[in-house]
């Protein structure tokens, strides 16, 4: 299959959007920018189209997809009820980087929801995404537009690397704003439960709906007997090709430890990558350094993280050592992704 790429901000943008909307209606696949990461879209009401997403990503089909909508009216046909907490959260954070899990209506095929009786829905803030959905006239099921197991794409070039030849169209809207996937909250039960942390932080959610519980699968390595409520959280997501190890502790000790680890690797003839910050980048003696930004700017770190992981893939390093970050606010999402990318390998110093 030939994959066409259109730059949204150029003259070809309108033509790209029209073709992409048509492809979606016909059951094809379109990658498009959202404010979080690039999505790989298909008609959410078409089971056959959903199957194509799983095939293109190489993704297990028990991992449900998020249905993207462009207006509040589009929510009603997808769900059996809109609980009070869901309505409040939608008012506060939609359009935006928040996904909510609702009881699904019969319109949504189980092929889209991985066999579940619930459906995850998000109204993205990115204008291109909402226009595309509105023009297509159908809800758009979209996982992140990466091959399964690779870091989510934050530029159209990342999408091209993974999806060229596998999908119909890529809409290039430039680098995304946030860089980490949306916050997921289950509002289908008695209380709101956080299933995946993101840019809408727990504090922000709680300011609207009070106490929000946390799915145990977020906190640590999924045990055999803990079944994460977001099935996708059980997979070794966001993973770079090289083994990633997190080093956590006081800054000075972390730098010392990483220097020691990288020295050992280099002596063995292995190429080591280091994920560092603006504050620490001058403290490393050897290794391939990539700074994710200033420690004081969680937004910058979130924005750069997946791109840096992909860069290390391209550089074919043998191993990666990463500094750790605060778990406050957006830091909770940053550390969640890093911990999963490391396969829960952390050295405490
Ligand atoms: O920011 C985002 O959410 C991006 C952009 C494209 O919108 N999409 C995204 O999709 O990250 P994906 O497929 O990579 O992650 C979807 C997550 C998975 O962990 C999946 O298990 C969970 O959402 N999920 C989807 N439907 C669910 C449901 N009905 N119940 C619980 N979890 C669900
Ligand atoms: Mg994903």
């Amino acid at each position: 299959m030939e994959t066409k790429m259109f730059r949204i901000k150029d003259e070809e943008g309108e033509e790209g959007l029209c073709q992409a909307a048509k492809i979606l209606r016909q059951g094809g696949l379109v990658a498009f920018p959202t404010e979080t990461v690039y999505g790989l879209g298909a008609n959410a009401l078409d089971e056959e189209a959903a199957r194509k997403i799983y095939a293109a990503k190489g993704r297990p089909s028990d991992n449900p997809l998020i249905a993207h909508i462009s207006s509040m009216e589009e929510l009603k046909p997808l769900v059996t009820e809109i609980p009070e907490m869901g309505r409040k959260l939608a008012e506060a954070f939609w359009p935006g980087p928040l996904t909510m899990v609702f009881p699904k209506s019969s319109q949504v095929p189980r092929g889209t929801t991985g066999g579940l009786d619930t459906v995850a829905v998000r109204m993205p803030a990115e204008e291109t995404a909402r226009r595309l959905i509105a023009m297509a006239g159908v809800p758009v099921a979209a996982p992140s537009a990466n091959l399964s197991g690779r870091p989510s794409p934050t530029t159209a070039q990342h999408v091209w690397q993974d999806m060229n030849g596998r999908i119909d169209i890529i809409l290039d809207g430039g680098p995304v704003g946030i860089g980490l996937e949306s916050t997921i909250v289950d509002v289908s039960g008695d209380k709101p439960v956080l299933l995946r942390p993101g840019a809408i932080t727990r504090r922000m959610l709680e300011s609207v709906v009070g106490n929000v519980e946390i799915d145990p699968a977020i906190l640590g390595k999924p045990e055999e007997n803990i079944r994460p409520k977001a099935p996708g959280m059980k997979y070794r997501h966001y993973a770079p090709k090289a083994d990633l190890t997190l080093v956590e502790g006081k800054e000075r000790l972390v730098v010392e430890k990483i220097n020691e680890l990288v020295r050992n690797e280099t002596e063995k003839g292995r190429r080591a990558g280091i994920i560092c910050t603006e504050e620490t980048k001058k403290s490393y003696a050897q290794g391939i350094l990539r700074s994710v930004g200033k420690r004081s700017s969680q937004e910058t770190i979130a924005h750069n993280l997946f791109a840096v992981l992909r860069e290390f893939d391209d550089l074919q390093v043998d191993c990666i050592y990463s500094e750790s970050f605060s778990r406050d606010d957006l830091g909770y999402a940053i550390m969640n992704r890093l911990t999963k990318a490391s396969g829960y390998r952390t050295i405490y110093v």
Side-chain angles (χ1 to χ4, degrees):
M1 176 190 301
E2 194 203 339
T3 303
K4 285 196 221 165
M5 180 122 117
F6 294 93
R7 257 195 279 270
I8 299 295
K9 279 151 199 157
D10 291 358
E11 275 165 30
E12 66 190 35
E14 273 311 298
E15 174 61 21
L17 269 169
C18 287
Q19 285 197 29
K22 192 167 157 209
I23 291 281
L24 287 175
R25 277 194 300 275
Q26 291 170 346
L29 300 183
V30 173
F32 60 97
T34 83
E35 71 277 23
T36 57
V37 299
Y38 273 75
L40 174 56
N43 180 353
L45 305 180
D46 177 349
E47 212 153 12
E48 187 52 41
R51 248 196 295 279
K52 287 187 195 164
I53 290 184
Y54 292 110
K57 279 181 65 89
R59 171 171 171 144
S61 60
D62 67 342
N63 192 354
L65 307 172
I66 296 172
H68 294 69
I69 56 175
S70 66
S71 73
M72 217 40 204
E73 289 72 68
E74 295 164 34
L75 176 63
K76 290 186 198 111
L78 304 180
V79 303
T80 55
E81 63 162 325
I82 303 175
E84 175 75 4
M85 55 187 159
R87 197 185 47 71
K88 283 187 181 161
L89 289 172
E91 236 162 57
F93 302 117
W94 275 0
L98 174 69
T99 297
M100 283 188 275
V101 174
F102 297 93
K104 83 168 192 69
S105 75
S106 56
Q107 274 210 32
V108 184
R110 288 213 165 70
T112 301
T113 66
L116 298 175
D117 289 327
T118 51
V119 60
V121 186
R122 173 160 109 85
M123 191 196 297
E126 162 80 47
E127 177 98 17
T128 305
R130 279 211 317 284
R131 280 199 64 209
L132 174 68
I133 300 160
M135 283 166 77
V138 292
V140 175
S144 48
N146 51 284
L147 286 174
S148 193
R150 297 213 60 203
S152 293
T154 55
T155 66
Q157 285 67 41
H158 295 162
V159 179
W160 181 263
Q161 282 178 352
D162 283 14
M163 292 296 158
N164 181 24
R166 293 170 169 262
I167 64 177
D168 299 286
I169 289 181
I170 299 172
L171 297 177
D172 177 358
V176 301
I178 294 171
L180 297 179
E181 307 86 345
S182 62
T183 303
I184 306 181
V185 180
D186 185 352
V187 296
S188 69
D190 296 338
K191 289 189 178 141
V193 183
L194 182 66
L195 305 187
R196 180 174 72 181
I200 305 294
T201 63
R202 187 182 188 188
R203 201 198 300 254
M204 290 161 77
L205 297 167
E206 292 191 330
S207 73
V208 177
V209 289
N211 188 41
V212 173
E213 286 175 13
I214 295 192
D215 187 37
I218 291 178
L219 298 171
K221 190 169 183 164
E223 305 292 339
E224 300 277 295
N225 52 357
I226 300 184
R227 199 184 151 87
K229 289 225 186 80
M233 299 292 278
K234 74 172 178 271
Y235 296 106
R236 185 176 167 220
H237 247 184
Y238 328 112
K241 287 176 193 153
D243 285 342
L244 170 67
T245 305
L246 264 169
V247 183
E248 188 161 357
K250 287 216 175 72
E251 187 176 294
R252 187 179 55 82
L253 298 177
V254 166
V255 169
E256 229 169 68
K257 187 70 188 175
I258 294 181
N259 266 322
E260 175 196 322
L261 291 161
V262 169
R263 194 166 50 240
N264 289 343
E265 295 290 347
T266 311
E267 275 166 13
K268 284 187 228 150
R270 283 159 56 88
R271 282 151 50 83
I274 303 174
I275 300 180
C276 64
T277 53
E278 288 304 294
E279 288 86 344
T280 55
K281 67 181 181 191
K282 295 220 168 67
S283 316
Y284 292 99
Q286 48 193 337
I288 302 171
L289 285 175
R290 287 295 177 273
S291 164
V292 282
K294 275 208 179 115
R295 250 172 207 284
S296 54
S297 171
Q298 292 184 318
E299 283 73 21
T300 313
I301 295 170
H303 182 264
N304 292 333
L305 183 62
F306 286 148
V308 164
L309 291 179
R310 277 182 176 262
E311 226 187 312
F312 279 131
D313 277 355
D314 297 342
L315 290 164
Q316 297 185 321
V317 295
D318 297 299
C319 53
I320 306 168
Y321 295 102
S322 176
E323 295 177 11
S324 299
F325 303 95
S326 148
R327 285 182 177 76
D328 293 341
D329 301 313
L330 185 54
Y332 194 42
I334 294 170
M335 286 301 287
N336 170 261
R337 306 308 193 272
L338 262 176
T339 309
K340 286 164 73 55
S342 74
Y344 305 91
R345 203 175 10 235
T346 302
I347 297 174
Y348 297 93
V349 290

